[in-house]
Amino acid sequence: MEYFKLNVFLPIVAFLFLFPVVHGWGLDGHYTVCKIAQSRLSQAAADAVEKLLPESANGDLASVCIWADHVKFRYHWSSALHYIDTPDNLCTYQYNRDCKDENGVPDRCVAGAINNYTDQLLSYNIANENAITYNLTESLLFLSHFMGDIHQPLHVGFTSDRGANTIDVHWYTRKTVLHHVWDSNIIETAEERYDDSNVDELVDALQKNISTGWADQVKSWESCSGNKKACPDIYATEGIKAACAWAYKGVSEGSTLEDDYFLTRFPIVQQRLAQGGVRLAATLNRIFT
């Protein structure tokens, strides 16, 4: 399968802004996940990340965390790796049943991609660099982005509506789709109301919650069963449960979503962004130990 052996380097930052964002958390969501993660890296992981990042990123993982969304237009095979489609209304996830693309090819979903790029990055410590068969810069950027995607609840959504991409709604007075509400609209509204439209203030608020309000949960967020480096099945199971309990609940075609929806869903978005950042850091720390 092509994406398992990718070894092509792109001029990453130059290519970054040629196309609009169409999937995943929006720019600010992915920035937030990667900003939280980089602040929690061990010294060994921080050194490895700095070495692997493109030079023009100036050591800032968050600045290129959206990269995987833009390269779908060049790496067409990667589009299926951003999400998981689950059976309608079951509100459950099973890897063997659900992790496949539209053609039924197994392992081609965001959980499979996280496993794949985690495995690729494990070759970083091979003594003979000539024996490494992957572009580890791209592996890092894919993993960082997909760890964000899997924490957006509607990236583990229903098959028939393509993760709520076909459910038309109004966000206050603006026409959009339910998927985009969770990608961007909730975050943007929160930034306008609470953070002076400044994403760094959102990051700071989440960092404080991680060290205070969620402090007793962080260890469980970081943990991974057995000797695994990443546990995407846990994240996906949480995702479909959140999609059913919060994203889809009370919404139908043509719904107008306003303060009642925003005020009850924003805490879920906050927690999923925080979990994504904490878990990305924990995964990179395990990989580069």
Side-chain angles (χ1 to χ4, degrees):
M1 211 181 307
E2 185 178 6
Y3 86 97
F4 279 99
K5 294 189 176 181
L6 177 65
N7 194 29
V8 180
F9 183 74
L10 290 178
I12 292 173
V13 174
F15 192 70
L16 237 162
F17 298 104
L18 293 181
F19 299 103
V21 177
V22 293
H23 284 293
W25 296 114
L27 175 61
D28 284 0
H30 280 292
Y31 177 95
T32 298
V33 168
C34 283
K35 205 72 174 177
I36 291 170
Q38 193 160 16
S39 72
R40 301 177 63 85
L41 294 178
S42 66
Q43 190 59 56
D47 291 344
V49 166
E50 184 174 2
K51 181 177 179 180
L52 291 175
L53 283 174
E55 187 174 322
S56 50
N58 294 316
D60 183 12
L61 177 61
S63 70
V64 288
C65 206
I66 201 72
W67 173 82
D69 270 336
H70 300 282
V71 296
K72 287 183 294 185
F73 297 92
R74 181 163 180 173
Y75 294 163
H76 297 291
W77 49 264
S78 71
S79 293
L81 306 183
H82 291 253
Y83 60 89
I84 301 166
D85 285 336
T86 66
D88 292 1
N89 301 309
L90 284 186
C91 299
T92 62
Y93 158 80
Q94 296 175 16
Y95 185 93
N96 291 335
R97 180 191 69 194
D98 303 329
C99 190
K100 58 184 183 296
D101 63 16
E102 292 180 351
N103 297 315
V105 179
D107 303 316
R108 289 185 50 79
C109 77
V110 66
I114 287 172
N115 288 330
N116 172 54
Y117 291 111
T118 296
D119 288 345
Q120 289 191 12
L121 286 168
L122 289 171
S123 66
Y124 175 81
N125 289 317
I126 293 177
N128 179 10
E129 292 189 3
N130 293 328
I132 298 174
T133 58
Y134 305 111
N135 181 329
L136 296 187
T137 293
E138 294 190 344
S139 301
L140 171 65
L141 299 188
F142 274 127
L143 176 62
S144 300
H145 184 92
F146 293 145
M147 192 67 79
D149 277 349
I150 203 169
H151 282 84
Q152 204 276 57
L154 288 174
H155 274 250
V156 194
F158 298 154
T159 300
S160 65
D161 58 40
R162 298 172 57 228
N165 271 294
T166 64
I167 300 177
D168 293 321
V169 298
H170 280 85
W171 182 248
Y172 295 88
T173 59
R174 181 181 177 183
K175 187 175 182 181
T176 184
V177 296
L178 183 59
H179 187 100
H180 191 265
V181 168
W182 284 77
D183 274 354
S184 299
N185 294 130
I186 294 175
I187 293 173
E188 291 167 356
T189 299
E191 288 175 346
E192 291 167 5
R193 292 191 183 186
Y194 310 132
D195 303 313
D196 297 323
S197 297
N198 186 335
V199 65
D200 288 315
E201 291 194 16
L202 171 64
V203 173
D204 289 344
L206 292 177
Q207 297 273 36
K208 290 176 183 176
N209 275 338
I210 289 168
S211 61
T212 56
W214 293 314
D216 60 341
Q217 301 176 53
V218 169
K219 188 173 182 179
S220 66
W221 293 354
E222 293 175 321
S223 65
C224 211
S225 58
N227 293 318
K228 294 180 181 177
K229 305 299 184 183
C231 288
D233 290 345
I234 293 174
Y235 320 148
T237 297
E238 294 171 348
I240 185 57
K241 289 181 178 178
C244 288
W246 298 104
Y248 284 113
K249 189 173 183 179
V251 180
S252 57
E253 180 73 16
S255 290
T256 297
L257 308 179
E258 297 181 303
D259 276 356
D260 285 348
Y261 194 91
F262 168 70
L263 293 172
T264 53
R265 273 58 174 186
F266 180 49
I268 307 305
V269 169
Q270 288 179 297
Q271 185 179 66
R272 295 302 281 170
L273 290 171
Q275 288 175 320
V278 167
R279 285 163 167 168
L280 173 57
T283 300
L284 293 174
N285 288 341
R286 286 189 287 263
I287 289 170
F288 295 119
T289 298

